[in-house]
Amino acid sequence: MNWNSNLINNLHWSDTIINKEGKEKVAAKIAEKVKDGDVLGVGSGSTVFMALFAIARRVKEEGLNVKAIPTSVEISMALTNLGIPMTSLYEHRPDWLFDGADEVDPNRSLIKGRGGAMFKEKLLISSSPVNFIIVDDSKLVDKLGSKFPVPIEVFPQALLHAEKELQKLGVRELILRPAKGKDGPVITEAGNVILDAWFDDIPADTELRIKSITGVIESGLFINYNVEIMVA
Ligand code: 5RP
């Protein structure tokens, strides 16, 4: 028996999609890379969401047999809506992965996590041998941290300890990310909170130094990862 639910069947992106045209172009480009039998790692965000629609069209028209490992509830729901079968890291390693980003610097280092899914996104990127970052050109920056803060997922009871340690790393401003549609802070899918950290400078060791703070689960800094950037 199937659920007859409009909540999944009429799923739309929850907000206005900024730079929709550029995102649509790069979404179409990534969909062309899908091959029969692929296990795809699927990042999160509106660009990824649009890419899934383009992939679903190919799956339907060409009868492709693919499986997807999602990085968030939002993407799990989109996969369900589109009829793309899901699997997990217990069963499969991705053949390749695609994901969006908030900032990309000239060395292909990234800031991710506007959507709060950076923990699972980093886990998937680290598990996948080939990774494509799909962005419109508004995401290209000369210096990381110019437009976006670095999101840091923190175990709630470790918040004040993390604040103290992050100040030692030269954080200019630290904001406990507030929720929209709920009172209080954003609670991540793993039950943690997010600190958005603005830095004047992000030296190469910053990712490791943030990660070494007890209570930090993960950050949205991706320095020197094995990624190919696809720009619309
Ligand atoms: C979510 C992310 C997204 O990939 C990033 O925020 C880009 O999103 P969008 O494609 O909507 O611009 O890291 O945690």
Side-chain angles (χ1 to χ4, degrees):
M1 184 189 277
N2 287 328
W3 292 103
N4 188 14
S5 164
N6 287 334
L7 295 179
I8 291 284
N9 295 345
N10 296 341
L11 199 68
H12 295 294
W13 182 250
S14 48
D15 215 336
T16 311
I17 298 186
I18 302 160
N19 298 324
K20 192 168 177 191
E21 208 179 309
K23 287 178 177 176
E24 227 153 28
K25 278 190 194 146
V26 78
K29 260 165 85 175
I30 200 74
E32 286 166 18
K33 290 197 171 289
V34 175
K35 295 190 309 305
D36 193 40
D38 278 349
V39 174
L40 305 171
V42 183
S44 292
S46 60
T47 319
V48 166
F49 188 79
M50 292 170 83
L52 283 183
F53 280 80
I55 291 170
R57 268 196 298 278
R58 283 202 55 209
V59 165
K60 207 168 165 193
E61 285 167 15
E62 300 170 40
L64 300 180
N65 174 21
V66 299
K67 289 188 177 61
I69 308 180
T71 51
S72 60
V73 169
E74 163 221 11
I75 290 301
S76 307
M77 289 179 173
L79 290 165
T80 306
N81 175 26
L82 295 167
I84 301 175
M86 266 180 278
T87 183
S88 77
L89 285 174
Y90 287 129
E91 289 131 308
H92 289 99
R93 184 182 180 200
D95 291 304
W96 60 278
L97 165 143
F98 62 97
D99 199 352
D102 302 310
E103 289 190 356
V104 179
D105 82 358
N107 299 320
R108 289 181 280 123
S109 289
L110 318 170
I111 290 182
K112 292 183 43 54
R114 177 204 48 76
M118 59 277 181
F119 172 32
K120 191 89 186 284
E121 289 168 346
K122 199 175 275 190
L123 175 60
L124 261 276
I125 279 196
S126 306
S127 309
S128 165
V130 178
N131 301 296
F132 296 99
I133 299 301
I134 51 173
V135 289
D136 64 87
D137 59 8
S138 72
K139 307 293 183 69
L140 305 180
V141 295
D142 291 333
K143 195 175 163 203
L144 283 186
S146 333
K147 296 182 180 173
F148 277 83
V150 176
I152 302 168
E153 180 163 350
V154 179
F155 180 68
Q157 284 284 311
L159 193 61
L160 305 186
H161 170 67
E163 177 188 29
K164 184 169 62 66
E165 294 300 310
L166 285 165
Q167 277 158 355
K168 291 185 198 161
L169 297 187
V171 160
R172 172 167 36 95
E173 195 185 351
L174 208 51
I175 297 162
L176 177 60
R177 190 182 291 186
K180 288 184 198 153
K182 168 195 168 292
D183 292 342
V186 162
I187 304 295
T188 68
E189 290 176 18
N192 300 306
V193 293
I194 294 177
L195 284 171
D196 283 315
W198 288 95
F199 289 90
D200 288 327
D201 251 325
I202 303 185
D205 63 352
T206 309
E207 180 180 357
L208 284 180
R209 293 184 70 187
I210 293 174
K211 185 70 189 280
S212 72
I213 299 170
T214 302
V216 165
I217 309 298
E218 201 42 271
S219 82
L221 262 187
F222 290 62
I223 301 207
N224 293 328
Y225 280 61
N226 164 32
V227 293
E228 186 176 319
I229 311 297
M230 286 175 72
V231 187

